[in-house]
Amino acid sequence: MVEPATRESSLTLERGLALLQAVADSDTGAPSISDLATAIGASRAAVYRLLVPLQARGLVLRDGSKVRLGLGVLQLAAKVVPQLRNAATPPLRELAEGVGATAHLTVAEGHEAQAVAVIEPSWTTYHVAYRVGTRHPVSRGAGGKAMSLPPGGPEWVDSTGELQPGAYGVAAPVRGVPGLRASVGVISMEPLDQSVVGPLVVAAAAAVAQALS
């Protein structure tokens, strides 16, 4: 049986997180206390109470009746990429060695895709040098396009020369991680046999998702 105090703490945490999400999702960029009360279905007094611990941690800032995200959110966000990279490294290394091509984890940031982890194969004579931090539109390249593949549709997508002339790519979406739009893929200067590489990329994407769950 859940103790009343535990249940109350859980509800307070849930409403606090809902409030933080409402601040982040606001179209105006700085919603008012009234806007937030409406968004989370609480009274203005409750919103004021919920803001106190969020302000103390720098997650939100108040300017009169307006509320906006604080720099504490950026500090939290800065911790995300290293965790993604650590979780993705073993599956990417296995993929790169198995295919003999550069493997990458790519994450969507708005309308752009960014490579946050890259592993190069150790045994090939040459391979594509793909830098961590490389950005491109999510509508281009296998890594970007894979993020838009619908569940139940194709498991992977390929591209040729969209980001670099003569380069071939195969990528699959990372599914099942709430709030994350990402893909795992390989890039090569030689054509890739999709019937072989596709399933390997899908398996690596699933391994990354499991590591992040």
Side-chain angles (χ1 to χ4, degrees), residues 23-209:
V23 175
D25 291 344
S26 174
D27 293 333
T28 64
S32 68
I33 299 295
S34 296
D35 293 333
L36 294 173
T38 300
I40 69 171
S43 67
R44 287 166 52 90
V47 170
Y48 279 115
R49 289 195 299 271
L50 292 169
L51 285 173
V52 172
L54 296 178
Q55 286 180 263
R57 288 163 176 77
L59 298 177
V60 298
L61 295 174
R62 276 186 55 199
D63 182 9
S65 65
K66 297 291 186 178
V67 182
R68 58 185 175 84
L69 293 178
L71 294 179
V73 173
L74 293 178
Q75 294 173 348
L76 287 177
K79 304 293 185 181
V80 173
V81 171
Q83 292 184 24
L84 289 176
R85 190 174 294 125
N86 289 339
T89 293
L92 289 182
R93 189 174 305 283
E94 182 176 350
L95 179 62
E97 298 294 344
V99 177
T102 300
H104 58 87
L105 171 67
T106 299
V107 174
E109 291 186 358
H111 297 294
E112 288 190 316
Q114 179 181 8
V116 298
V118 175
I119 299 294
E120 299 175 356
S122 63
W123 56 270
T124 55
T125 303
Y126 64 89
H127 50 260
V128 175
Y130 193 47
R131 294 182 179 178
V132 168
T134 298
R135 292 175 177 269
H136 58 83
V138 294
S139 60
R140 295 181 60 82
K145 291 180 174 179
M147 299 179 198
S148 298
L149 290 178
E155 293 186 283
W156 67 82
V157 65
D158 70 297
S159 66
T160 302
E162 292 189 15
L163 301 179
Q164 182 177 337
Y168 300 86
V170 176
V174 176
R175 302 192 189 276
V177 182
L180 179 68
R181 288 182 61 209
S183 67
V184 166
V186 291
I187 183 170
S188 171
M189 295 306 294
E190 297 181 350
L192 297 166
D193 185 345
Q194 289 190 53
S195 65
V196 175
V197 176
L200 294 177
V201 170
V202 171
V208 170

